[in-house]
């Protein structure tokens, strides 16, 4: 492979277009396009497609871009180390993918034990759908995938699911929301869960593993709150909740942290509404020290609080 052609492709994607990349590389746009065409011929697949006035990577191009990111990042690190005269070994790389419906707070607490290792690893933490992350795991581009559902049998990837733990689900509301619903915190807690009917609710999107559990729990208890918003990103849902646009569910193991950071109040955490978290790995028996630290501490500390 001609790595100069790969670098041209990498620059075009990062710049968002051939014209902008040609200015950065001091090449004509025609020359740059020709060099990328040679790379596509070498790899046997298109890597870019036109979108408006710019370009974006194809599915194959996205995979090539992931490799190129690592290749050229490592190259820059090597140059920086040589210039700085550093003789110390590079920190090990720990690659953990998170399904995008997993709470960012859970993601941090799951990863934190690995950072206590000596030496602490460098983290690479992509986020995406479970099928996309499993494709990377199958190629050993990831050491671990953290998910809120176990590995489905229809993905065709040989991997092993390890239960990290379970957390109850709590409901949170801001003082602003309670005031707008003519309710105070004591009343909302005393009448929970019926008090949820008096407030608009923010929920994760329908593709989330948590959504059908919340919907089922609401039906079982005869609750029908007004759904004010649905969010694929749990952090965005919490941001709207902080501003008083609705009550929202989140892992009960993070209740104190959520209340402190978002300035919201915990209304209640029903015993019959639980979320599960899983680690998915190629290994049946985990041997990677970073992955072992993650799984062991999640079970003994994070989810042991439930």
């Amino acid at each position: 492979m001609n790595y100069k052609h790969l670098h041209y492709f990498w620059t075009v994607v990062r710049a968002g277009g051939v014209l902008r990349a040609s200015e950065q590389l001091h090449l004509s746009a025609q020359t740059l396009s020709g060099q990328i065409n040679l790379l596509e011929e070498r790899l046997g697949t298109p890597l870019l497609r036109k979108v408006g006035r710019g370009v974006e990577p194809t599915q194959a191009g996205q995979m090539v871009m992931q490799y190129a990111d690592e290749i050229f990042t490592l190259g820059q690190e090597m140059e920086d180390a040589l210039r700085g005269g550093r003789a110390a070994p590079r920190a090990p790389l720990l690659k953990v993918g998170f399904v995008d419906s997993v709470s960012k707070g859970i993601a941090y607490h799951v990863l934190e034990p690995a950072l206590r290792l000596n030496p602490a690893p460098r983290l690479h933490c992509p986020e995406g759908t479970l099928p996309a992350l499993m494709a990377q795991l199958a190629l050993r581009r990831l050491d671990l995938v953290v998910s809120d559902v176990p590995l489905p049998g229809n993905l065709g990837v040989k991997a092993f699911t390890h239960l990290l733990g379970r957390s109850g689900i709590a409901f949170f509301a801001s003082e602003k929301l309670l005031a707008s619903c003519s309710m105070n915190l004591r009343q909302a807690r005393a009448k929970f869960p019926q008090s949820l009917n008096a407030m608009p609710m923010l929920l994760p999107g329908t593709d989330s593993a948590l959504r059908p559990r919340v919907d089922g729990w609401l039906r079982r208890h005869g609750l029908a709150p007004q759904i004010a918003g649905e969010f694929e990103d749990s952090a965005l849902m919490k941001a709207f909740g902080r501003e008083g646009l609705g009550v929202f569910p989140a892992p009960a193991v993070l209740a104190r942290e959520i209340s402190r950071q978002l300035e919201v109040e915990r209304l209640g955490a029903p015993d019959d509404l639980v979320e599960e978290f899983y680690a998915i790995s190629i290994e049946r028996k985990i041997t990677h020290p970073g992955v072992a630290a993650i799984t062991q501490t999640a079970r003994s500390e994070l989810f042991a609080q439930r």
Side-chain angles (χ1 to χ4, degrees):
M1 181 185 295
N2 188 320
Y3 283 89
K4 183 175 287 186
H5 296 167
L6 181 63
H7 185 263
Y8 290 160
F9 163 75
W10 183 66
T11 305
V12 166
V13 174
R14 283 160 57 95
V18 173
L19 285 177
R20 274 176 283 182
S22 65
E23 293 172 358
Q24 295 177 19
L25 295 167
H26 306 292
L27 294 171
S28 71
Q30 184 177 3
T31 298
L32 187 54
S33 295
Q35 299 295 295
I36 292 175
N37 287 339
L38 291 175
L39 178 63
E40 292 177 324
E41 291 175 9
R42 170 69 179 80
L43 297 177
T45 185
L47 300 178
L48 293 172
R49 56 171 168 255
K50 290 185 178 180
V51 178
R53 295 184 179 182
V55 294
E56 69 177 17
T58 62
Q59 186 173 359
Q62 292 173 14
M63 185 180 71
V64 171
M65 191 64 185
Q66 291 170 359
Y67 283 97
D69 270 333
E70 189 165 339
I71 289 169
F72 296 119
T73 298
L74 288 174
Q76 186 61 56
E77 285 185 13
M78 179 187 69
E79 291 185 25
D80 292 344
L82 289 171
R83 290 195 191 101
R86 297 199 301 270
R90 296 176 62 248
L93 181 63
L94 176 60
K95 300 166 289 185
V96 181
F98 286 90
V99 173
D100 43 22
S101 54
V102 172
S103 160
K104 304 300 184 293
I106 290 290
Y108 168 75
H109 286 290
V110 164
L111 278 179
E112 193 269 337
L115 301 179
R116 303 178 202 163
L117 298 176
N118 188 15
R122 295 182 304 120
L123 297 177
H124 173 59
C125 300
E127 187 180 28
T129 63
L130 182 57
L133 294 174
M134 290 308 303
Q136 294 190 52
L137 185 69
L139 294 171
R140 298 189 180 272
R141 298 281 297 157
L142 294 173
D143 300 308
L144 188 71
V145 170
V146 175
S147 172
D148 51 2
V149 294
L151 176 65
N154 61 359
L155 289 185
V157 177
K158 185 177 180 181
F160 300 93
T161 300
H162 314 272
L163 178 65
L164 290 176
R166 298 178 177 87
S167 170
I169 296 299
F171 289 86
F172 298 84
S174 69
E175 293 283 1
K176 181 179 179 181
L177 174 65
L178 293 172
S180 70
C181 297
S182 302
M183 195 182 312
N184 60 42
L185 179 59
R186 186 174 63 180
Q187 292 170 330
R189 286 176 171 171
K191 296 179 180 179
F192 182 87
Q194 283 68 32
S195 58
L196 296 177
N197 274 333
M199 292 177 276
M201 182 170 285
L202 309 177
L203 289 175
T206 53
D207 290 337
S208 163
L210 177 59
R211 179 59 183 273
R213 297 183 182 189
V214 174
D215 287 345
W217 179 81
L218 292 171
R219 285 194 299 270
R220 289 196 305 274
H221 291 270
L223 302 173
Q226 173 199 352
I227 307 304
E230 300 175 81
F231 301 85
E232 300 302 325
D233 186 337
S234 62
L236 185 60
M237 178 181 69
K238 291 170 187 171
F240 275 72
R242 179 189 61 208
E243 298 303 320
L245 297 183
V247 60
F248 62 91
V253 294
L254 303 179
R256 290 183 181 178
E257 187 174 308
I258 291 170
S259 294
R260 183 180 69 253
Q261 292 179 352
L262 301 181
E263 298 180 344
V264 293
E265 299 292 345
R266 177 180 179 271
L267 303 184
D271 293 333
D272 56 343
L273 181 56
V274 175
E275 188 173 20
E276 297 176 335
F277 298 95
Y278 301 88
I280 304 173
S281 70
I282 294 296
E283 303 173 309
R284 181 189 295 273
K285 183 177 180 181
I286 293 173
T287 58
H288 188 295
V291 174
I294 285 172
T295 55
Q296 291 168 9
T297 308
R299 292 166 180 164
S300 63
E301 295 181 18
L302 176 61
F303 296 111
Q305 298 173 24
R306 180 174 175 263

